[in-house]
Amino acid sequence: MGYENPLLRLPAGRALLNLPADMRAPLEAVLRELRAQADVEAENAWRRRKGPMAAYWRAVATYSRHTAHALSKGTRP
């Protein structure tokens, strides 16, 4: 990401780093797919002039990306 993940400032966010790799990998995959789907929803909402829903879906995409990235940086092999 190129910057400090804000999610990792939270104790629960840091706890993600301690999950075993076999638990992190599937969660990361689901969150990356969620991000992609939320991005599509945000674009659709924006095109339909539904600003609040576009903002909601963009936030979902952002939080999903931050969480997936945190899971990819775990401390256990």
Side-chain angles (χ1 to χ4, degrees):
M1 278 173 135
Y3 61 91
E4 183 182 342
N5 189 336
L7 181 67
L8 297 178
R9 293 184 196 148
L10 302 173
R14 287 190 304 271
L16 292 171
L17 299 175
N18 294 322
L19 290 174
D22 62 336
M23 290 179 68
R24 287 193 324 265
L27 290 171
E28 180 186 352
V30 168
L31 287 164
R32 290 192 188 281
E33 185 63 27
L34 179 61
R35 177 201 179 194
Q37 292 172 13
D39 275 338
V40 170
E41 291 296 323
E43 289 301 317
N44 289 339
W46 189 250
R47 273 197 242 61
R48 292 186 351 250
R49 306 292 193 262
K50 304 291 184 182
M53 285 308 297
Y56 169 80
W57 286 116
R58 191 63 70 203
V60 169
T62 299
Y63 296 141
S64 297
R65 183 184 73 223
H66 284 280
T67 307
H69 187 73
L71 288 165
S72 74
K73 300 296 182 192
T75 57
R76 292 185 182 175

